[in-house]
Amino acid sequence: MSEAALAKEAAALDATDGLAAKRAEFDLDDGVVYLDGNSLGALPRGVAGRLCEVVGHEWGRLRIRSWEESGWWTAPERIGDRIGGLIGAAPGQVVVGDSTSVNVFKAVVAAIRLADTASRDEVLVDAATFPTDGYIARSAARMTGCRIRAVAAADMAREAGPRTAVALVNHVDYRTGRLHDLPGITAAVRAAGARTVWDVCHSAGALPVHLDADGADFAVGCTYKYLNGGPGAPAFLYVRRALQDRFDSPLPGWNSHADPFAMDPAYAPAGGAVRGRVGTPEILSLLALDAALGVWDGVDLAAVRAKSLALTDFFLRCAAAYVPEGRVASVTPEAHAERGSQISLRYGPGAGEVMAELVRRGVVGDHRRPDVLRFGFTPLYTRFADAERAARVLGEVIGAMEEGR
């Protein structure tokens, strides 16, 4: 298909996009195609003004009174419930705070402590997991006398057995964009008598997630990708309601005490998701995240998913038309049921140079060593015209680089 025909198709798709108006709620430069929201989401326009109010009035004028008068103290649970609505969790099961790594540690250790017998001494880890998940899981296993076994996420269901205490799985593979079977794996691991910890960093805000309905035990996720919470925004922890009374956090901080201001030297855990808290909440970043979540008001996640799949399909078609034949290969599954909201293309040893030149020309994706070009599609603000332009510039860059060799 010709460039003119693809550009015309992109314009027609954008004209009928039910989410198109959401783009105006973000601070974006029309001269740049931003396809790295799977690393850092764009800035929602409402955040800056809200932070000015927090700093100038709540901190600057009310000061210590804001813990009660401005609702600072309950922000981790209140904002957790907002995120819960985006990941299929009923209120009271999500708490926001700390980093993804810290929350992985809490969840994995707590899951091990829930094991019904001492013989459950095995931690299954997604073999292609984001590195920090593996690091944390190995440390948690050493501390609890367990052993780590790395298995492919696709094999997790059949690998769980009588020695398995917990399976730590990525919902979407960060490198390839492969979407794993959360309900199927969860059911199989539970049938084996073990618990699941799901990393939903690359699915929260990108596609519908149904933690309650699918029976997940624990889940963790960051908020600076598709949820647009900003750099270093606090992560979240989901604890299924049925497990909360037995959730034994390895980090029992004063914020998770049943009566934190009693300053009791003996620890007594609070009820509910509050047990997932540790220390003083990160108020500035928490409230920036709270403001950022406003872009999700009234958004249907089914529409987000439909647009994500349409965008990634269209990008692949454009790449096939523009990129010299045989120069790139998609490592992201073609099947919709197995695809997150990104496209990863394998190029070769020069992938880093290609991405650097794309960024210089105003198309921002990222490079995963050694040979993957990664493009994230954020349906709330990515246009079909962006997908067409990105593929066209990619073809130009690869063509020019190979001509020059």
Side-chain angles (χ1 to χ4, degrees), residues 4 47 158 171 209 238 252 290 297 310 329 383 398:
V47 172
R158 66 170 175 268
H171 194 194
V209 181
Y238 164 89
D290 193 25
D297 292 345
R383 301 171 297 193
I398 289 177

Side-chain angles (χ1 to χ4, degrees), residues 136-195:
I136 293 293
R138 287 180 178 84
S139 179
R142 288 197 306 272
M143 292 174 62
T144 56
C146 291
R147 66 187 181 104
I148 287 282
R149 188 155 66 93
V151 300
D155 298 332
M156 198 73 72
R158 66 170 175 268
E159 290 291 335
R163 295 191 63 177
T164 307
V166 58
L168 173 60
V169 200
N170 289 102
H171 194 194
V172 175
D173 186 294
Y174 79 99
R175 184 183 296 274
T176 67
R178 179 179 290 276
L179 174 66
H180 294 126
D181 180 9
L182 192 155
I185 293 172
T186 297
V189 170
R190 175 172 292 178
R195 307 291 179 185

Side-chain angles (χ1 to χ4, degrees), residues 108-370:
V108 170
V109 173
I112 293 169
R113 290 176 173 178
L114 284 167
D116 53 9
T117 66
S119 63
R120 289 195 179 275
D121 60 354
E122 175 183 78
V123 178
L124 297 184
V125 177
D126 181 348
T129 191
F130 190 78
T132 194
D133 287 18
Y135 305 155
I136 293 293
R138 287 180 178 84
S139 179
R142 288 197 306 272
M143 292 174 62
T144 56
C146 291
R147 66 187 181 104
I148 287 282
R149 188 155 66 93
V151 300
D155 298 332
M156 198 73 72
R158 66 170 175 268
E159 290 291 335
R163 295 191 63 177
T164 307
V166 58
L168 173 60
V169 200
N170 289 102
H171 194 194
V172 175
D173 186 294
Y174 79 99
R175 184 183 296 274
T176 67
R178 179 179 290 276
L179 174 66
H180 294 126
D181 180 9
L182 192 155
I185 293 172
T186 297
V189 170
R190 175 172 292 178
R195 307 291 179 185
T196 51
V197 176
W198 283 94
D199 182 328
V200 296
C201 285
H202 287 267
S203 54
L207 51 93
V209 181
H210 307 288
L211 295 179
D212 284 353
D214 292 336
D217 295 309
F218 300 94
V220 299
C222 60
T223 62
Y224 49 78
K225 300 181 190 298
Y226 295 101
L227 297 181
N228 311 295
F236 60 86
L237 170 67
Y238 164 89
V239 182
R240 184 161 58 91
R241 193 180 309 282
L243 298 178
Q244 288 177 359
D245 288 346
R246 292 178 287 155
F247 174 56
D248 185 5
S249 174
L251 297 172
W254 78 287
N255 263 231
S256 63
H257 195 283
D259 187 2
F261 292 97
M263 302 300 171
D264 189 337
Y267 180 72
V274 177
R275 288 192 184 194
R277 292 174 63 159
V278 183
T280 304
E282 314 93 321
I283 289 300
L284 296 182
S285 53
L286 261 176
L287 297 184
L289 168 62
D290 193 25
L293 291 171
V295 299
W296 291 97
D297 292 345
V299 171
D300 179 359
L301 279 165
V304 170
R305 178 61 168 163
K307 183 179 176 183
S308 166
L309 293 171
L311 277 167
T312 48
D313 279 344
F314 184 63
F315 175 75
L316 285 170
R317 285 177 48 220
C318 291
Y322 292 140
V323 178
E325 187 175 359
R327 299 302 192 273
V328 297
S330 176
V331 297
T332 304
E334 182 177 348
H336 286 181
E338 298 175 2
R339 185 192 305 170
S341 197
Q342 70 184 60
I343 294 294
S344 294
L345 302 176
R346 178 164 285 128
Y347 172 69
E353 298 172 62
V354 169
M355 185 54 70
E357 181 61 19
L358 281 171
V359 172
R360 193 186 71 79
R361 297 190 188 196
V363 175
V364 181
D366 67 13
H367 166 231
R368 284 291 175 261
R369 291 185 287 178

